């Protein structure tokens, strides 16, 4: 009996292994080759003083991490990234939620509006940055001079605060449509019977949204917040094409600083160490946000 049981168990394990290899084997191999192996190799590079070109990679231990903690420009960039992320994440989700409510309220042509609001997310960040650079530098300035609108008479990209504001505006315009679709799915998942019961109990439309729809849509909030947090922390393409860190490096985000450190200044080991710290910070923030959101989802 024991022999038969062991044989059946081995056969079942072999069958499951074949199933896994058949359906997920290729994907797993690609994931390991493209993500896991480069990640481990990147950790190794943080322990070297490689310049990104030469064959030799001198081992320096934890010296790169010491240089990272002593790099004031890096921590200034991290501070800007935190500020930008907090403001952008809030605005993106507020705008996306409002848009989702509008396009699920039964207005005419709501499917057209859904497609229209989602379109900016399809444009690449580099192209998007150049388009908005023209808008801020030329279109708004021409409009401000024509109608004597003081705030628009000069390019916002020319001032330190204005450049950050431009980054936030473009990010909200780009991400809100994508997050809107997730909120649309959340609104559509709320049963009409529950909403009808709330109305019968005397809830107004606003109260139904706040006390019924929002708690039942908690999973949508968790997904949208996680996606926007990770995207904002890792923003690089729009930062490069829209401001390129100007004026006076006042809009350099953490990802751009890491790129410059590794590829412009040829300090690949330090750049990789800073990238690893950025990854850890982003992962911790994302995990905390998901944990708190999931607790709210369970209690709802």
């Amino acid at each position: 009996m024991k022999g038969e049981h062991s044989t059946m168990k081995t056969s079942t394990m072999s069958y499951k292994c074949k199933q896994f290899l058949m359906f997920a084997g290729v994907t797993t191999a690609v994931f390991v080759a493209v993500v896991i192996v480069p990640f481990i190799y990147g950790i190794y590079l943080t322990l070297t003083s490689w310049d990104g070109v030469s064959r030799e990679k001198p081992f320096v231990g934890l010296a790169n991490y010491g240089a990272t903690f002593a790099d004031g420009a890096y921590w200034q960039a991290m501070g800007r990234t935190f500020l930008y992320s907090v403001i952008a994440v809030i605005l993106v989700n507020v705008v996306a939620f409002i848009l989702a409510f509008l396009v699920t309220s039964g207005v005419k042509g709501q499917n057209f509006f859904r497609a229209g609001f989602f379109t900016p997310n399809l444009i690449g960040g580099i192209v998007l940055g150049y388009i908005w650079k023209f808008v801020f530098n030329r279109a708004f300035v021409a409009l401000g001079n024509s109608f004597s609108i003081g705030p628009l008479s000069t390019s916002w990209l020319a001032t330190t605060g204005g450049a950050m504001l431009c980054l936030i505006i473009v990010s909200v315009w780009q991400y809100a449509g994508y997050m809107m679709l997730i909120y649309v799915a959340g609104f559509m998942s709320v049963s009409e019977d529950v909403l009808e019961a709330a109305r019968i109990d005397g809830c107004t439309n606003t109260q139904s949204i706040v006390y019924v729809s929002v708690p039942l849509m908690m999973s949508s909030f968790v997904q949208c917040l996680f996606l926007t947090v990770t995207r904002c922390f890792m923003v690089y393409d729009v930062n490069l094409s829209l401001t390129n860190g100007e004026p006076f490096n006042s809009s350099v985000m953490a990802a751009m600083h890491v790129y410059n450190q590794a590829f412009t200044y040829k300090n690949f080991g330090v750049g990789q160490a800073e990238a690893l710290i950025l990854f850890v910070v982003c992962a911790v923030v994302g995990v905390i946000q998901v944990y708190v959101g999931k607790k709210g989802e369970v209690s709802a």
Side-chain angles (χ1 to χ4, degrees):
M1 289 294 292
K2 283 187 177 181
E4 285 184 23
H5 180 71
S6 178
T7 303
M8 289 179 60
K9 190 174 181 180
T10 303
S11 177
T12 303
M13 290 288 291
S14 176
Y15 177 72
K16 289 183 177 179
C17 184
K18 289 179 181 179
Q19 275 192 322
F20 175 81
L21 291 176
M22 181 183 299
F23 292 104
V26 175
T27 305
T28 303
V30 172
F31 178 78
V32 170
V34 175
V35 178
I36 302 300
V37 172
F39 182 78
I40 296 173
Y41 183 63
I43 295 176
Y44 161 72
L45 290 179
T46 64
L47 306 176
T48 69
S49 61
W50 188 42
D51 60 4
V53 178
S54 62
R55 291 185 178 181
E56 295 163 353
K57 302 178 179 67
F59 185 81
V60 295
L62 300 177
N64 290 327
Y65 292 97
T68 296
F69 286 106
D71 187 357
Y74 174 68
W75 296 108
Q76 288 178 359
M78 285 287 285
R80 291 188 208 102
T81 304
F82 267 106
L83 178 62
Y84 157 80
S85 298
V86 169
I87 298 174
V89 166
I90 293 173
L91 290 179
V92 165
N93 284 278
V94 168
V95 172
F97 184 83
I98 293 173
L99 293 178
F101 173 74
L102 293 176
V103 298
T104 54
S105 59
V107 297
K108 290 184 178 180
Q110 62 183 25
N111 290 332
F112 171 79
F113 288 120
R114 290 180 191 178
F117 293 140
F118 179 75
T119 300
N121 191 73
L122 301 177
I123 305 174
I126 296 292
V127 176
L128 194 67
Y130 283 121
I131 292 173
W132 275 94
K133 192 171 187 176
F134 171 81
V135 171
F136 288 123
N137 283 341
R138 300 293 183 85
F140 282 176
V141 172
L143 185 66
N145 290 332
S146 298
F147 294 96
S148 299
I149 304 174
L152 297 180
S153 59
T154 57
S155 175
W156 292 354
L157 294 172
T159 63
T160 56
M164 290 293 293
L165 178 61
C166 292
L167 275 172
I168 293 170
I169 291 172
V170 175
S171 298
V172 172
W173 189 78
Q174 181 183 18
Y175 298 144
Y178 182 81
M179 304 306 157
M180 175 202 69
L181 293 185
I182 299 177
Y183 285 124
V184 166
F187 272 113
M188 296 179 68
S189 68
V190 178
S191 173
E192 189 62 34
D193 294 337
V194 176
L195 296 175
E196 184 65 28
R199 284 191 287 268
I200 292 174
D201 288 340
C203 286
T204 64
N205 289 334
T206 303
Q207 290 173 328
S208 297
I209 294 173
V210 174
Y211 298 111
V212 179
S213 297
V214 169
L216 294 176
M217 291 171 57
M218 193 57 66
S219 60
S220 297
F221 284 99
V222 172
Q223 294 175 42
C224 287
L225 287 172
F226 177 78
L227 289 174
T228 47
V229 165
T230 52
R231 287 189 176 196
C232 288
F233 264 95
M234 298 297 181
V235 65
Y236 173 74
D237 47 5
V238 174
N239 191 191
L240 175 67
S241 58
L242 182 63
T243 68
N244 197 24
E246 301 298 334
F248 312 115
N249 292 329
S250 62
S251 61
V252 174
M253 298 295 178
M256 175 174 281
H257 180 86
V258 168
Y259 178 90
N260 291 339
Q261 189 73 264
F263 296 100
T264 303
Y265 309 136
K266 305 302 181 184
N267 297 325
F268 218 91
V270 177
Q272 191 65 35
E274 293 178 349
L276 183 61
I277 291 174
L278 175 61
F279 167 77
V280 171
V281 170
C282 183
V284 169
V285 172
V287 168
I288 292 174
Q289 175 264 311
V290 170
Y291 174 74
V292 173
K294 286 294 183 181
K295 284 188 67 176
E297 182 180 348
V298 171
S299 65

